[in-house]
Amino acid sequence: MSVTTDQRDLIEVGDARFQERRAQVPVLAQRAEGEGITKIRSREDLVPLLFPHTTYKSYPESLIAKGKWAQMNRWLDSLSTHRVVDVDVSGVEDVDGWIDRLEAAGHMVSSSSGTSGKGSFLNKTQSDRDTSSQNMLDCLAELGLPPENKWNFIPVGPETTLSSHIAMREMLAASYRSPDSIELPPTSAPGGHHRYMSRLQAMRRAMADGTAAPDEVAQFEAEAAGRQQQNEERLHYFAERIRERRSERFFFSSQFPNLYRLAEILREMGVAEGDLTGDNALTTGGGLKGTSLPDDYQSKIYRILNIDPSRFLHYYSMQELNLRLPKCLVGRYHVPAEVVLLVLDKNGETLAPVSDGMVEGRAGFFDTTVDGRWGGTICGDKILADLGGCPCGRPGTTVFDQISRYSDLKDDDKITCAGTMDAYVRGFIED
C-alpha cells in the first residue's frame, strides 16, 4: 500500500511522540532498545512498539490482595509519562483508596470493570480527559447535534463513583441539559466500585474451583442483588418521568444493556411505539458487556425511544484511546485523522496483508493525542477495515461494524509479545 501525504505527516508526528515518550515511559524505552528501534520511519516500525492491552493489567494480583500500594505505584510508574512513585499511599486500605490518592496527585487513572477477568489500570492526565471530552462534543456536532441546552438529559447508567464517568456525564449535562430537565434520581451511586469488582473477580474464581464458602457466596450475592436493585430503581425513576413528559425531547447517554432494560420498563408501564414524539437523541459506545440480548435489541430500543439514525452517535473506542471512531449512516466506523490504525495478524506480530484495499486482522492503534502514557496499543478485537474511503462519501480508513473478540472465537487471544512486555514490567517492580 502506498503511503499518502497525510499518512507521512502522521508517521512524522508518531516519531516525534516516540522520541518524547521513550525518554518518559520506562517500559517503552526498554521495548525500543530490545527491538533496536531508534526512529519511526514507517507503519512497520510502530508494530513492535505497540503495547498489548494486557500490559495494563500485568501487575501481580497479590499486590492488591496484600495492599502493596507502593509497589503498585512502581508498576504504574513504569507505564506512565509522569512519575507516580512519589505519590503518598500511607493509610490506603483498598484499590479505591489507591486510585483516589493517585487522582489527588493529578493521575486520572482509568480502570476496566474487570467483569471478564483481571482489571486494568491506565494512567491519564487532565489533558487526556479534556481531549476525550472535546472529541465527544466534536462527534456529536458533526452528527448535527451541537451543544444546546434544550434537552432532557438522561444518563441512563448505571451510576458509579468513577471520576471519569462523572466527568463525562457532567460535561454532557453542561452542554445539552435544559434548565427544566428531568432531575437525576436522589439515590447516590454505591461506593467501593473497584473493591466490589475485585471481590466479584475473586468470588467467580473461588466458585469455579469450589473453594468459596457458602456464607461468603450468600453475602456477596446479597450485595450484588442490592446493587442491581438500586440500578432498577434508577431506571424506573427515569421511565416514570419520561412517560409523563413523552412529547418533550430526550438526550440519552447509555450503553445498550441498560438502555434495553429502560425500553422494557417503558413497555411494562404501557408506553407503546410512537408514544414518545420528541426528536430524541442517543450516544453510546461499546458492546453488550457480556449481556445476552435479542438479535433485534437495537431496533426495539430505537422504536420505543423514537431514536432516528441521524440523531444517534454510536462509536467504537476503548479506554486505551482518547478519541472515538464514530459510525456513519452507512454503518462504518471512521478512523480519526489523529489516529493510526494498524491491522495486524492474529498474533500481533506483523501488519496483515491488504487485498483490494481491504484488510482483516487484530486491531492496533496509535493515538497521537495520548498524554499520560505511550499511545500505541494492540487490542483483543478482530476487525475488517477498508483503506479506500466510505460509501458515505467521507475519505479515510473505515472499520466495518462486524467486530468480534478473539477471546470469543475458537482462536486463542494470544499476542506474541505479551509475555515479553509483562516481563519488562515485572522487572521494574522487582528492581
Side-chain angles (χ1 to χ4, degrees):
M1 182 188 68
S2 61
V3 178
T4 67
T5 301
D6 287 345
Q7 289 171 332
R8 289 195 188 96
D9 290 344
L10 206 52
I11 290 170
E12 290 180 4
V13 171
D15 180 60
R17 188 55 53 91
F18 167 64
Q19 302 302 335
E20 179 183 17
R21 292 290 178 255
R22 69 172 176 162
Q24 298 170 320
V25 182
V27 170
L28 176 62
Q30 189 161 349
R31 179 63 174 169
E33 181 179 356
E35 292 295 318
I37 296 175
T38 59
K39 184 176 179 62
I40 294 174
R41 300 176 177 86
S42 66
R43 294 157 60 87
E44 286 79 4
D45 290 336
L46 269 171
V47 174
L49 300 177
L50 301 178
F51 287 9
H53 62 98
T54 54
T55 303
Y56 294 103
K57 58 178 72 175
S58 59
Y59 56 90
E61 291 180 86
S62 61
L63 297 186
I64 288 181
K66 297 178 180 179
K68 303 290 187 179
W69 307 116
Q71 286 181 270
M72 283 297 294
N73 277 359
R74 293 177 67 183
W75 169 80
L76 188 63
D77 184 78
S78 72
L79 296 165
S80 303
T81 59
H82 305 284
R83 303 284 61 86
V84 176
V85 288
D86 57 349
V87 175
D88 179 20
V89 291
S90 58
V92 170
E93 297 181 353
D94 55 30
V95 67
D96 294 278
W98 176 58
I99 289 178
D100 288 345
R101 198 68 63 85
L102 289 166
E103 187 156 318
H107 302 283
M108 310 296 181
V109 174
S110 173
S111 59
S112 71
S113 63
T115 53
S116 59
K118 190 177 181 182
S120 58
F121 301 102
L122 293 84
N123 203 353
K124 299 189 177 184
T125 64
Q126 189 62 51
S127 174
D128 288 318
R129 187 168 288 183
D130 292 344
T131 297
S132 180
S133 294
Q134 185 59 53
N135 175 250
M136 172 66 87
L137 293 178
D138 292 343
C139 289
L140 287 165
E142 186 173 353
L143 187 66
L145 297 170
E148 295 179 287
N149 297 110
K150 62 180 185 181
W151 304 81
N152 282 289
F153 177 61
I154 311 293
V156 178
E159 189 174 8
T160 74
T161 53
L162 298 179
S163 66
S164 58
H165 293 180
I166 295 171
M168 182 58 67
R169 183 189 69 195
E170 291 180 347
M171 183 278 293
L172 288 172
S175 301
Y176 292 93
R177 186 179 184 275
S178 67
D180 61 345
S181 173
I182 292 173
E183 296 288 343
L184 293 180
T187 55
S188 60
H193 175 83
H194 295 97
R195 180 176 64 250
Y196 173 77
M197 298 311 300
S198 294
R199 287 180 58 217
L200 173 61
Q201 173 190 339
M203 183 58 65
R204 284 177 171 168
R205 285 200 303 268
M207 292 175 69
D209 61 26
T211 61
D215 58 336
E216 292 177 335
V217 174
Q219 182 181 10
F220 186 81
E221 287 180 342
E223 182 179 356
R227 286 173 177 257
Q228 179 60 32
Q229 179 60 32
Q230 189 166 351
N231 189 50
E232 277 286 298
E233 291 172 357
R234 177 184 177 86
L235 293 174
H236 276 84
Y237 171 92
F238 281 133
E240 290 171 358
R241 283 147 186 82
I242 291 168
R243 182 179 58 175
E244 294 168 356
R245 304 169 72 165
R246 62 185 68 187
S247 64
E248 299 181 15
R249 304 177 73 192
F250 297 94
F251 186 114
F252 297 97
S253 174
S254 174
Q255 292 182 332
F256 280 123
N258 265 292
L259 204 64
Y260 185 77
R261 180 59 189 141
L262 176 65
E264 282 187 322
I265 294 171
L266 286 167
R267 292 179 189 276
E268 293 165 3
M269 290 181 173
V271 177
E273 293 176 14
D275 285 355
L276 301 187
T277 58
D279 294 332
N280 302 327
L282 165 66
T283 177
T284 186
L288 299 181
K289 303 300 182 184
T291 304
S292 178
L293 295 180
D295 291 341
D296 60 347
Y297 72 93
Q298 291 191 28
S299 62
K300 286 183 176 179
I301 291 170
Y302 305 153
R303 292 198 302 270
I304 194 68
L305 297 182
N306 192 30
I307 306 293
D308 186 88
S310 64
R311 300 188 301 274
F312 173 35
L313 173 61
H314 190 191
Y315 56 87
Y316 172 47
S317 192
M318 56 202 68
Q319 66 172 349
E320 288 86 355
L321 303 178
N322 284 341
L323 306 183
R324 296 159 184 82
L325 282 64
K327 181 185 279 189
C328 70
L329 294 179
V330 173
R332 297 192 189 183
Y333 299 106
H334 284 251
V335 180
E338 301 89 350
V339 172
V340 181
L341 172 66
L342 299 145
V343 184
L344 312 172
D345 67 341
K346 182 174 74 71
N347 295 326
E349 294 181 293
T350 62
L351 293 173
V354 178
S355 177
D356 295 327
M358 310 285 283
V359 57
E360 184 176 38
R362 185 182 290 274
F365 297 94
F366 180 66
D367 185 340
T368 62
T369 72
V370 171
D371 178 55
R373 310 168 315 286
W374 171 234
T377 188
I378 306 175
C379 73
D381 294 340
K382 183 178 182 180
I383 65 169
L384 174 64
D386 186 341
L387 308 180
C390 181
C392 76
R394 291 173 54 192
T397 299
T398 56
V399 175
F400 289 79
D401 65 354
Q402 295 87 5
I403 298 171
S404 55
R405 289 186 178 275
Y406 278 100
S407 59
D408 295 333
L409 304 174
K410 291 182 179 179
D411 295 332
D412 289 333
D413 185 14
K414 301 293 186 184
I415 301 173
T416 300
C417 66
T420 302
M421 297 299 295
D422 288 358
Y424 288 156
V425 178
R426 284 197 300 271
F428 286 101
I429 298 174
E430 295 166 359
D431 284 346

